[in-house]
Amino acid sequence: MPTGPSAWAVAVPAAVAGAALMGLASAAQARATKQVETARTLDPALLSRLARRPLCLAGMAATVAGLVLQLVALAFAPLLVVQPLLVTSLIFAGFFADRLADRRPDAVLGAGSLMCVCGLAAVLLLARPGEESTTFVRGPAPVVLALTLAALTVLGLAVSVLAPGALRVLGLAVATGVLYGVTAGLMKVVAGQARDSLAAPFTHPVLYVVCVVGPLGFLLSQNTFQRGEFLTPALAVITALDPLVGVAVGVWWLGETVTADPAALAGAGLAGLVVIAGIVVLSARAARLTPREVR
């Protein structure tokens, strides 16, 4: 399997194309979830209601196609390269939401998009991700990260049920972002196994964990889309947590590396803040334009 620039030439376009499809899926599903009865958290009946909406079916098809492209990207490049690129899905979501609503993209979409793209480019150039890994490392770090992510998910679900009013959507957003990031990390392992043999993933438990964690994250995202309150910070939380968790999984579960240069890491951190600011701008715009049609 090729590595280096030639592999990145496959991985980066696949990741961006996958992000575009994920953006299309988000835009379609955000509209469709407003047209069905609001469901309880993790109520699978929501999926059956959405399945009767052509727009949501199109979104689900786009999600599957986006995941396939994400797997292709993960098979050729480290998780630390692929996962940050998926932030661009929010840019595509804004564009497709405009098309679905027959609106023209505005300056806010352009500014937020520019912040995300420039920030991501700077992060990748400064952090300089090293060789990829598709096997779990040993030691206490993976256990600590697993317990931390599990605690964050449980806390998010607890807040979504027990917290007052609009704060519940933030709990959903935290749980969704964590599960999305974990799913991406596990998909990296599955992609590595499939690279050796298409039958290999079916002989390991990771694929079956993905089949549980992934749909749970998807269902929680639909619950989040249905809640109108506090949607701006919720979208920002999901879009930021997803790659952050994915990067943490890449470093502490799979042993991927970045540069050890303190100045470069500091610069990457500042660039990351620019990306987060862009996410907030795009999320605020997306929430402001979210349709409120029900049924």
Side-chain angles (χ1 to χ4, degrees):
M1 174 61 61
T3 58
S6 61
W8 283 34
V10 175
V12 172
V16 173
L21 287 168
M22 292 295 189
L24 173 60
S26 295
Q29 290 158 5
R31 289 180 67 89
T33 54
K34 293 292 184 180
Q35 299 169 349
V36 300
E37 181 182 350
T38 301
R40 297 188 304 273
T41 300
L42 290 177
D43 183 358
L46 174 59
L47 296 181
S48 64
R49 298 187 195 115
L50 290 173
R52 294 192 287 270
R53 296 282 176 175
L55 190 60
C56 190
L57 289 176
M60 290 180 180
T63 298
V64 173
L67 287 173
V68 171
L69 286 172
Q70 186 180 357
L71 276 172
V72 171
L74 289 169
F76 283 86
L79 188 66
L80 271 62
V81 171
V82 175
Q83 195 63 6
L85 290 173
L86 297 181
V87 169
T88 58
S89 64
L90 190 58
I91 301 172
F92 292 110
F95 174 80
F96 286 120
D98 286 343
R99 295 296 87 203
L100 290 172
D102 197 24
R103 289 188 301 262
R104 289 186 177 182
D106 55 27
V108 177
L109 177 62
S113 301
L114 185 63
M115 293 167 71
C116 285
V117 171
C118 292
L120 281 171
V123 167
L124 293 177
L125 287 172
L126 292 169
R128 297 197 297 273
E131 292 295 321
E132 66 172 323
S133 172
T134 58
T135 57
F136 294 108
V137 300
R138 299 180 182 275
V143 176
V144 172
L145 179 60
L147 292 175
T148 301
L149 295 178
L152 275 176
T153 303
V154 172
L155 177 62
L157 291 175
V159 169
S160 73
V161 174
L162 302 175
L167 287 176
R168 294 184 178 185
V169 75
L170 288 182
L172 287 171
V174 168
T176 300
V178 171
L179 292 180
Y180 274 2
V182 170
T183 300
L186 297 178
M187 284 173 61
K188 173 63 177 175
V189 178
V190 172
Q193 294 168 348
R195 191 172 63 189
D196 297 329
S197 167
L198 291 178
F202 297 96
T203 64
H204 296 276
V206 178
L207 174 63
Y208 304 102
V209 176
V210 170
C211 291
V212 174
V213 175
L216 283 177
F218 177 79
L219 182 54
L220 284 174
S221 72
Q222 305 312 296
N223 289 137
T224 305
F225 285 142
Q226 281 202 313
R227 311 291 174 89
E229 313 98 333
F230 247 31
L231 191 56
T232 295
L235 288 170
V237 166
I238 292 173
T239 310
L241 265 183
D242 182 359
L244 286 175
V245 171
V247 167
V249 168
V251 173
W252 283 291
W253 281 4
L254 302 180
E256 294 185 355
T257 60
V258 294
T259 181
D261 182 359
L265 289 176
L270 291 175
L273 293 178
V274 174
V275 175
I276 292 174
I279 289 171
V280 172
V281 170
L282 292 172
S283 298
R285 180 185 182 278
R288 188 176 69 251
L289 299 177
T290 296
R292 299 304 182 97
E293 308 95 333
V294 179
R295 300 181 197 282

